Amino acid sequence: MNLVPVTQVRLGADQVPSPQGAPHLKSIELEITTRCNLSCPSCVRSLFADVWTDNQMRLGDLSRILPRLNQVEIVVLRGWGEPLLHEDLSAIVRTLVDSGRQVILSTNGTRPVPEDLLPRLKAVVFRLKGGTAACYEDHHPGSMFNRVVINICRVMHWRRMNQIERPLVSLHFEKNRYNLGLVVSYVETAIRLGADRVALLAQRFALEDDDRGRNRTEAVPAAEVDRCVADLASQAGVRLFNEPLGGNSFCRLDPRRSLFVSWQGHLAPCRLAHMPTLDGHYVRHSGRAFESNTNLTFGNLVTEDLFRIWNRPRYRRFRETSRPPFPSTLRNHPCRYCHPYTRGSEQWSAGSC
């Protein structure tokens, strides 16, 4: 069979590669560490603490993975850990940029971004969850909101001093039906800090007590909040992504356009499909019985070519059944245990059945 090299494939923005074609990826998410310096109650790693593994990607593995990603232009450093905790982060960013990739750093903001990295970054994403000191510190025990604000200001100050507009600064906040009364203030905070982009993300997972804590606000019509934040962002010239609240199951990711690479090089559709637990199993209790799920992976980029993995029948079947809008029934789908698709008072834990 004569295969066209992936570097020679050219697809339009709205085209989907054929099953035998090369992947047309907007970006990949690269997990360089699973370590984190926070213990947030609403993070799944808190539920999986007994079986969570703290590891990081080796530079040697990265050097093997990169040649297999020739068609990928943007690499998002995130995963289940805090990228700034990797001691070789500067070398990783330099390697990615020197290979022609654009790099986006996603951080919890508790550590300053080293100035030597800033000229090489396309954007810095600060994942704040809450945009007020009380809300932020409730969700991030042991962390100070003012320290995160200072670290955001460091990046903005560096940009002003160097008279450049990169890296872009994006602030991500969480919204749910309990904190709608605070969402407008979140956007106002982002505007005051000079952010280029603001994302209001509908909550995917939280403990019940975490949702109904002391920062719960009075009910506010979602449509009214949406209009207000849209007007604020428009007047300030800030790009806004405002995810709607609702009861329908949906996923932010399109598996035909994006993928996740774990610290070991395992390829999965997203980080939720590949958590770094000891045995790779997750246990879900639906109120009637315990059901087990295993990490979803289609191959390993340390040892295998992306083109070969992409065209495996199992991976093709997954993409064909995961085209948005997501199917209403998830009975036999690999993502059926993912919490964006589950409803009701379900509980999560990890480990073997």
Side-chain angles (χ1 to χ4, degrees), residues 112-120 154 157-158 162:
V113 181
E115 287 195 2
D116 66 301
L117 293 185
L118 294 176
R120 296 178 176 270
R154 285 176 180 267
H157 176 72
W158 183 89
N162 289 276

Side-chain angles (χ1 to χ4, degrees), residues 41-330:
S42 60
C43 180
V44 291
R45 66 179 292 137
S46 296
L47 290 183
F48 300 163
D50 292 342
V51 292
W52 198 269
T53 61
D54 288 334
N55 291 289
Q56 64 183 27
M57 180 174 284
R58 297 175 298 184
L59 289 176
D61 287 344
L62 179 63
S63 66
R64 295 182 182 92
I65 291 172
L66 273 182
R68 307 181 192 278
L69 297 173
N70 286 334
Q71 65 275 46
V72 175
E73 295 182 1
I74 299 176
V75 176
V76 181
L77 299 180
R78 184 178 174 179
W80 284 107
E82 169 52 49
L84 288 173
L85 295 180
H86 199 301
E87 60 266 24
D88 293 321
L89 178 60
S90 294
I92 290 172
V93 172
R94 183 171 59 252
T95 299
L96 290 169
V97 173
D98 290 348
S99 69
R101 276 73 173 189
Q102 299 183 71
V103 179
I104 297 175
L105 174 68
S106 181
T107 175
N108 60 30
T110 56
R111 290 193 169 198
V113 181
E115 287 195 2
D116 66 301
L117 293 185
L118 294 176
R120 296 178 176 270
L121 297 175
K122 173 184 175 66
V124 181
V125 175
F126 290 91
R127 308 185 309 273
L128 302 185
K129 194 179 181 81
T132 65
C135 186
Y136 174 87
E137 291 169 10
D138 255 11
H139 288 296
H140 303 83
S143 180
M144 296 180 61
F145 183 67
N146 285 346
R147 174 58 57 186
V148 177
V149 169
I150 289 172
N151 290 334
I152 296 171
C153 291
R154 285 176 180 267
V155 178
M156 302 307 301
H157 176 72
W158 183 89
R159 280 176 33 172
R160 287 192 297 270
M161 292 297 293
N162 289 276
Q163 299 181 346
I164 57 177
E165 298 181 352
R166 294 292 180 96
L168 297 175
V169 171
S170 181
L171 304 189
H172 288 194
F173 302 104
E174 186 178 88
K175 75 171 186 178
N176 56 60
R177 55 180 172 156
Y178 303 110
N179 74 349
L180 273 178
L182 296 171
V183 168
V184 173
S185 68
Y186 293 178
V187 176
E188 291 173 337
T189 296
I191 292 172
R192 287 196 297 272
L193 291 174
D196 303 288
R197 300 172 181 173
V198 180
L200 302 174
L201 305 177
Q203 192 167 25
R204 284 295 192 269
F205 172 83
L207 304 179
E208 183 175 3
D209 291 340
D210 186 58
D211 259 351
R212 295 175 169 85
R214 64 186 177 90
N215 292 300
R216 180 177 179 178
T217 63
E218 295 298 324
V220 179
E224 180 181 328
V225 173
D226 290 344
R227 284 193 299 270
C228 187
V229 296
D231 289 342
L232 283 172
S234 177
Q235 293 169 11
V238 173
R239 290 186 59 184
L240 174 68
F241 174 75
N242 185 13
E243 195 168 56
L245 292 176
N248 293 328
S249 299
F250 66 97
C251 181
R252 296 185 187 116
L253 299 178
D254 181 349
R256 301 168 298 167
R257 297 282 190 264
S258 59
L259 56 83
F260 170 77
V261 181
S262 78
W263 68 275
Q264 293 173 301
H266 292 302
L267 189 152
C270 73
R271 82 183 76 91
L272 291 172
H274 200 284
M275 298 187 192
T277 55
L278 284 173
D279 55 10
H281 285 82
Y282 311 90
V283 177
R284 168 181 176 266
H285 188 261
S286 62
R288 295 181 299 275
F290 288 96
E291 299 174 326
S292 178
N293 189 30
T294 305
N295 272 340
L296 178 61
T297 182
F298 297 105
N300 191 300
L301 288 174
V302 175
T303 58
E304 302 176 90
D305 183 73
L306 175 59
F307 189 86
R308 185 180 299 276
I309 297 173
W310 186 265
N311 286 294
R312 282 180 177 152
R314 178 168 169 260
Y315 197 2
R316 295 209 310 267
R317 285 196 300 271
F318 174 83
R319 296 196 303 274
E320 290 166 359
T321 58
S322 305
R323 296 181 179 183
F326 209 85
S328 58
T329 174
L330 295 158

